[in-house]
Amino acid sequence: MIPPGLIISAPASGTGKTTVTLGLLSAFRAAGLTVQPFKSGPDYIDPAFHRAASGRASVNLDTWAMGRDRIAGVVAAADGADLILAEGSMGLFDGVARAGEAGTGASADLAALTGWPVVLVLDVSGQAQSAAAVALGFTVLRPDVAIAGVILNRVASPRHEMLVRAGMEAAGIAVLGALPRNPDVSVPERHLGLVQAEETPELDRIVAEAGTFIAANLDLDALRAAAGRTQLDAAAPVPVTPPGQRIALARDAAFSFVYPHLLDGWRRAGAEVVPFSPLADEVPDAAADCCWLPGGYPELHGPELAAAARFRRGLRRFAETRPVHGECGGYMAMGEAIVDREGRRHAMAGLLGLVTSFEKRRMHLGYRLADLAAQMPGHRPGARLRGHEFHYSTILAQPDMPLARVTDANGEPVPETGSRRGHATGTFFHLIAEAT
């Protein structure tokens, strides 16, 4: 049976919803509850923190890239838990202009689809009763989205809290707790968002302190009681075609961004996933019939990857007879070179002619719809794929044949078409699902 759920959202990014989510997961777990975390939207980093706090794998739910049936199949992972907590992305109503499979990607679309009420995390610094006007606007904008209440964050003093609460009471909005400013409870950040969970040496301390902080300042009983019944019926996961029967998967600090629902889908289809570490100069498993290099932070490990001669030779040998596919950072590592932010050039595997640079940073962000011009592992020519792109690299050279015609969520072409050469393929977007 799928348990009731809540979505932790906010009016905008940077309000503290990740810290609140981690703290709630930790606090409920300490209280003896089994909580299933999810992440709304295409985020590669938050789910690993969710797992550390909850003890359960966190999975992405994306209404632009996933249909209702696929979302229902992923939500079924919550079977047996006591509560669902889904962390939203950006602001509650922020999505793209054109709907995809089941919505625009906004957290509000996920709330409407699942029936999970929303808890708004409000940064009330610099305001008092006026915060109620913001909250009230969120309660009335979409009748199909229920607002369970608000959490007041960055409260300056008891007097400040009293004034904000007075405004909320006048507006008829439930206050589920108030958090004083606490710089000690935060998660470190870098240019693609949060630092990865496995790179956070004090992660256990951060999660424990966040749980204690949240338990001391929020009404956990009221939050649990506010959770709404899940409207989606339990369903079997939508089948995913794996890229091979035995998949060599690059997995270390440089290559870690792969969606959990894809790994789960590959295994459910009978595939075996065999990890290896390029940073440790390891080579793909010789018995594998496909190699997959996920995204990550290869630009932070340019010297180590350039010095990993055994890995690079082994990858080239593998690609002589079997497919190798890379996404974003993995795609860049398959190219000729990466230029780091100091302008230093680091040789990569050379399976493709791609050369990328971080010397002049430029953000590339958004959903991607790709029509394949050629086969890539797990997908035939002509297949339509939905994914998401997020990086700061600039293309200096992309000489190989394009892998796909790629457009953004508005249907506008983008130059990051991916590449193909022999058995090697790569894309800047991270695959989420094949379009229906």
Side-chain angles (χ1 to χ4, degrees), residues 39-42 60-67 71 102 105 110 367 432:
K39 173 66 182 183
S40 174
N60 301 77
L61 303 171
D62 193 300
T63 60
W64 185 85
M66 296 175 167
I71 290 174
L110 183 64
Y367 286 120
I432 300 175

Side-chain angles (χ1 to χ4, degrees), residues 141-184:
L141 186 62
R142 281 187 58 169
D144 60 343
V145 176
I147 305 297
V150 298
I151 292 171
L152 312 181
N153 194 20
R154 297 170 187 150
V155 176
S157 66
R159 179 177 178 274
H160 182 208
E161 179 182 341
M162 178 191 69
L163 292 172
V164 179
R165 282 182 178 272
M168 295 296 173
E169 183 179 359
I173 296 169
V175 177
L176 300 168
L179 302 173
R181 293 172 180 163
N182 188 348
D184 294 332

Side-chain angles (χ1 to χ4, degrees), residues 89-327:
S89 58
M90 301 186 294
L92 175 61
F93 301 110
D94 297 333
V96 295
R98 294 185 185 179
E101 297 283 341
T104 66
S107 301
D109 289 344
L110 183 64
L113 181 68
T114 59
W116 300 334
V118 173
V119 175
L120 278 179
V121 180
L122 297 180
D123 180 351
V124 298
S125 57
Q127 59 183 325
Q129 291 95 328
S130 296
V134 175
L136 185 60
F138 275 78
T139 66
V140 301
L141 186 62
R142 281 187 58 169
D144 60 343
V145 176
I147 305 297
V150 298
I151 292 171
L152 312 181
N153 194 20
R154 297 170 187 150
V155 176
S157 66
R159 179 177 178 274
H160 182 208
E161 179 182 341
M162 178 191 69
L163 292 172
V164 179
R165 282 182 178 272
M168 295 296 173
E169 183 179 359
I173 296 169
V175 177
L176 300 168
L179 302 173
R181 293 172 180 163
N182 188 348
D184 294 332
V185 180
S186 61
V187 182
E189 298 186 1
R190 71 153 62 110
H191 66 273
L192 290 185
L194 301 175
V195 174
Q196 298 174 92
E198 59 265 35
E199 295 181 289
T200 307
E202 296 187 320
L203 179 59
D204 290 342
R205 177 193 63 79
I206 291 171
V207 167
E209 290 185 358
T212 301
F213 179 59
I214 290 297
N217 292 283
L218 301 188
D219 189 337
L220 297 184
D221 291 337
L223 279 158
R224 186 181 181 189
R229 183 182 66 85
T230 301
Q231 293 176 170
L232 296 171
D233 294 327
V238 174
V240 174
T241 302
Q245 190 62 36
R246 186 178 174 91
I247 305 160
L249 178 71
R251 195 75 167 169
D252 55 28
F255 306 99
S256 61
F257 296 164
V258 60
Y259 285 113
H261 75 276
L262 289 182
L263 289 178
D264 181 66
W266 294 350
R267 292 186 174 112
R268 284 179 181 274
E272 182 181 4
V273 178
V274 184
F276 71 100
S277 171
L279 286 178
D281 206 14
E282 296 175 354
V283 299
D285 178 36
D289 52 12
C290 172
C291 180
W292 193 278
L293 279 69
Y297 292 116
E299 69 276 12
L300 300 181
H301 304 277
E304 293 87 348
L305 291 172
R310 181 170 175 267
F311 155 69
R312 291 159 59 206
R313 287 195 304 269
L315 190 66
R316 288 194 293 267
R317 281 197 302 270
F318 191 100
E320 290 174 0
T321 57
R322 289 156 290 176
V324 176
H325 182 76
E327 293 186 328

Side-chain angles (χ1 to χ4, degrees), residues 23-106:
L24 284 172
L25 291 170
S26 177
F28 279 127
R29 186 183 186 186
L33 295 183
T34 300
V35 184
Q36 173 62 52
F38 290 107
K39 173 66 182 183
S40 174
D43 187 287
Y44 322 125
I45 297 177
D46 287 349
F49 285 93
H50 294 173
R51 180 169 192 157
S54 69
R56 290 173 71 98
S58 178
V59 189
N60 301 77
L61 303 171
D62 193 300
T63 60
W64 185 85
M66 296 175 167
R68 180 188 178 93
D69 290 347
R70 191 178 298 275
I71 290 174
V74 172
V75 168
D79 185 26
D82 299 307
L83 179 68
I84 289 170
L85 285 182
E87 181 183 350
S89 58
M90 301 186 294
L92 175 61
F93 301 110
D94 297 333
V96 295
R98 294 185 185 179
E101 297 283 341
T104 66

